[in-house]
Amino acid sequence: MSVFRDDFLWGGATAANQFEGAWDVDGKGPSVSDMCTNGSHKVPKRVTQTIEPNTLYPSHEAIDFYHHYKGDIALFAEMGFKTFRMSINWTRIFPTGMEDEPNEKGLQFYDNVFDECLRYGIEPLVTISHYELPYALVEKYNGWEGRELIDYYMNYCKAIFERYKDKVKYWLTFNEINTGTMPMGAVLNTGTIKGFTGSLTEVPDRPKERLQALHNMFVASAKAVKYAHDNYPQFMMGCMICFAQSYALTCNPDDELANQEHMREMNWYCSDVHVRGAYPSYAKSIWKKYDFEPEIRDGDIEALKEGKVDFYSFSYYMSNCISSDPEAEAGEGNIIGGSKNPYLKASDWGWQIDPKGLHFALNEIYDRYQIPLMVVENGLGAYDKIEEDGTIQDDYRIDYLRQHIEEMKKAVEEGVDLIGYTPWGCIDLVSASTGEMAKRYGFIFVEKYDDGTGSLARRKKKSFDWYKKVIATNGEDLD
Ligand code: BGP
């Protein structure tokens, strides 16, 4: 018998800006992601304030899900998906974020996508904002630093909640909100890059702006959750955290304390607010470190209290180590940094692979919050090769996923209430950190390459049939 619940939500995850394409079709406006060029593991992508000629912007066509959704969803159904995580592209609905009325053609597109999912019994799991902030809001308000964005976000939520109330039950308010605690989170997440042109490594580090932006996002999320609870009691509202498990590099108490401080700021600060409805006691020490207190207006504290999420979802790819020694050898990966772990191997992009870290993280998170958990991103970004016979033998991906599912099982056996698993990039898509196509995660290969060429044809990788079997046996058969 399976250790996973009978109604376990197996599926896959995507984000609109990384796979829809059709960036300016049917009234859609530009989002921050649409202003990002491509890059690679070694060459950082750039943000530009205007669209530069003769420059590749990978989100503009991406894998063109916009015109391929029927075939793609049929492939997800063939794998047996119970759920499909996707995001709504804010600028398809409100092109600048500031319109009074939503764009009907944008709304219609997601009606079509949801209908197609539901036809196969696939439950949509929708991220409301996944690195798709309207660029006009960056230019006018410095992104989420502007308090005005709370109302614009609420207009957007009201429009999509009402329109899709009979089609969507599971919602995530912000993707990886806690990346806003890190310098690079200013680009895709908080959008606090008004007037900035340059590469991702040159983004100015302005923690005060990011902390204010995060406060505004917490209030926006809480208001959306409360509004949903009041008006659509069938909705399940979740938060979404980039969970970057870290360990103390050594058992030196200084390393332990440094790691605790890091874990609080990186992993717990945002979810403590989302789940408990209040700032944690250590928030003040974080604010002090940056010599800043976010402006908290009348009513904000009550709003946070009234908008606690129903479940906690997170991405998990890797772990790292934290040292009190500034000379410790740095690791790579995500946007987190940290030190190298001598016990772990890394992916081609330097992300340290650590399935046991997922087990550890699930226990830690559940011990802390005691609400249902969902792993909504996990996977291996790798170079895939089409063999002469046309197959793609991605055994490395199968190994990675198998080991992570085995660790999830152990956590469930220890009592964690895990309700779903949606591996990242179930179909190949554009990388968020580098803008590449070469960094592939999918069960489905897409013929699209880094120079912008490719037929966009889809083919199943070896992992496609493997994952189909995993789902069919509710995670029992992982061979
Ligand atoms: C998460 C994001 C995703 C996704 C994933 C993989 O941080 O929520 O959007 O892209 O990471 O990262 P990357 O694409 O950089 O390999």
Side-chain angles (χ1 to χ4, degrees):
M1 226 196 56
S2 171
V3 305
F4 295 109
R5 316 156 51 120
D6 290 343
D7 57 354
F8 192 80
L9 292 168
W10 295 99
T14 58
N17 75 88
Q18 290 168 255
F19 88 143
E20 272 180 7
W23 78 293
D24 59 354
V25 171
D26 290 336
K28 183 182 165 299
S31 68
V32 180
S33 295
D34 295 320
M35 312 308 284
C36 292
T37 71
N38 67 336
S40 67
H41 183 201
K42 298 291 172 204
V43 183
K45 65 182 200 179
R46 287 184 309 120
V47 189
T48 63
Q49 283 168 268
T50 53
I51 299 300
E52 295 176 355
N54 309 317
T55 304
L56 188 64
Y57 291 85
S59 70
H60 291 194
E61 182 184 58
I63 62 155
D64 197 25
F65 176 77
Y66 197 77
H67 297 106
H68 291 74
Y69 69 91
K70 285 194 177 170
D72 292 344
I73 293 169
L75 287 168
F76 301 152
E78 194 182 327
M79 274 187 278
F81 278 21
K82 314 278 182 221
T83 188
F84 173 47
R85 177 175 175 228
M86 50 174 280
S87 65
I88 294 182
N89 220 327
W90 187 341
T91 56
R92 249 185 232 300
I93 312 299
F94 292 97
T96 68
M98 294 173 272
E99 292 78 3
D100 292 329
E101 294 302 319
N103 171 28
E104 177 54 33
K105 283 194 172 152
L107 288 170
Q108 189 58 51
F109 171 65
Y110 295 105
D111 268 322
N112 298 343
V113 171
F114 296 144
D115 289 344
E116 202 62 22
C117 287
L118 296 171
R119 215 158 69 77
Y120 293 106
I122 298 174
E123 178 101 56
L125 162 60
V126 173
T127 318
I128 297 170
S129 180
H130 189 137
Y131 300 161
E132 284 130 6
L133 185 65
Y135 190 66
L137 296 176
V138 172
E139 285 185 314
K140 187 149 183 209
Y141 298 107
N142 196 26
W144 276 100
E145 196 193 7
R147 176 94 195 175
E148 294 82 354
L149 267 72
I150 298 172
D151 287 343
Y152 291 131
Y153 179 83
M154 281 308 292
N155 285 350
Y156 167 47
C157 286
K158 286 178 183 169
I160 57 178
F161 288 172
E162 182 56 23
R163 178 77 169 217
Y164 306 125
K165 61 178 188 267
D166 298 324
K167 299 180 182 178
V168 179
K169 179 173 156 202
Y170 291 94
W171 302 87
L172 306 176
T173 53
F174 288 104
N175 181 63
E176 295 190 332
I177 187 168
N178 57 318
T179 58
T181 63
M182 303 276 126
M184 273 191 220
V187 180
L188 294 175
N189 187 4
T190 57
T192 43
I193 49 162
K194 181 175 174 166
F196 173 71
T197 288
S199 77
L200 228 55
T201 46
E202 296 164 342
V203 179
D205 183 12
R206 296 194 287 252
K208 295 178 180 159
E209 293 179 11
R210 286 186 280 107
L211 283 171
Q212 185 62 53
L214 281 175
H215 176 73
N216 295 339
M217 293 167 84
F218 295 151
V219 173
S221 171
K223 287 191 169 184
V225 169
K226 175 162 181 3
Y227 184 83
H229 286 161
D230 288 349
N231 294 284
Y232 311 100
Q234 73 277 23
F235 283 8
M236 288 283 289
M237 305 298 295
C239 62
M240 199 300 201
I241 301 292
C242 172
F243 201 87
Q245 181 60 55
S246 64
Y247 309 111
L249 184 62
T250 73
C251 52
N252 178 342
D254 284 337
D255 283 2
E256 287 287 1
L257 278 167
N259 185 45
Q260 184 177 61
E261 186 183 332
H262 177 83
M263 284 293 291
R264 281 175 162 178
E265 184 171 341
M266 173 69 206
N267 293 308
W268 302 125
Y269 177 73
C270 296
S271 56
D272 280 355
V273 179
H274 278 316
V275 179
R276 296 169 167 167
Y279 275 105
S281 47
Y282 59 81
K284 287 220 158 78
S285 63
I286 295 176
W287 299 341
K288 200 166 160 207
K289 176 168 153 195
Y290 298 110
D291 189 25
F292 179 72
E293 289 228 355
E295 188 200 349
I296 297 177
R297 294 210 187 152
D298 283 354
D300 285 0
I301 297 293
E302 291 69 28
L304 296 180
K305 207 181 292 171
E306 288 170 355
K308 294 185 213 165
V309 294
D310 303 311
F311 66 102
Y312 173 109
S313 82
F314 66 109
S315 60
Y316 178 86
Y317 292 92
M318 55 165 287
S319 68
N320 65 354
C321 292
I322 298 297
S323 167
S324 53
D325 172 8
E327 304 290 302
E329 193 190 353
E332 282 183 274
N334 255 2
I335 51 165
I336 300 134
S339 303
K340 262 197 185 145
N341 186 330
Y343 300 100
L344 300 178
K345 292 205 175 74
S347 77
D348 288 338
W349 276 261
W351 295 22
Q352 300 182 115
I353 300 170
D354 182 15
K356 289 183 182 154
L358 176 58
H359 179 179
F360 187 81
L362 282 162
N363 285 347
E364 289 285 296
I365 299 164
Y366 195 65
D367 284 355
R368 194 176 185 105
Y369 298 133
Q370 303 277 302
I371 60 173
L373 308 186
M374 210 188 284
V375 178
V376 294
E377 286 186 31
N378 173 235
L380 180 69
Y383 295 106
D384 289 333
K385 188 169 138 249
I386 305 181
E387 305 292 337
E388 272 171 23
D389 64 1
T391 61
I392 295 135
Q393 303 292 325
D394 57 341
D395 295 280
Y396 37 89
R397 181 168 294 109
I398 294 173
D399 278 349
Y400 177 103
L401 295 170
R402 177 191 295 127
Q403 290 176 38
H404 284 78
I405 297 172
E406 274 166 0
E407 296 300 326
M408 288 185 340
K409 272 189 180 175
K410 292 179 193 161
V412 171
E413 279 166 343
E414 286 169 37
V416 170
D417 184 12
L418 182 65
I419 60 174
Y421 179 63
T422 57
W424 175 252
C426 47
I427 181 165
D428 289 349
L429 40 64
V430 176
S431 158
S433 56
T434 65
E436 284 165 291
M437 272 309 299
K439 190 181 189 189
R440 295 174 184 272
Y441 286 88
F443 303 112
I444 301 162
F445 186 93
V446 180
E447 292 187 27
K448 176 76 190 272
Y449 303 102
D450 280 332
D451 58 1
T453 64
S455 66
L456 297 175
R458 276 71 165 146
R459 25 172 120 208
K460 300 172 193 172
K461 301 182 194 176
K462 185 175 178 183
S463 55
F464 184 101
D465 289 324
W466 174 81
Y467 193 47
K468 181 175 174 176
K469 189 178 61 181
V470 171
I471 297 178
T473 60
N474 201 17
E476 274 303 282
D477 188 349
L478 300 177
D479 293 337

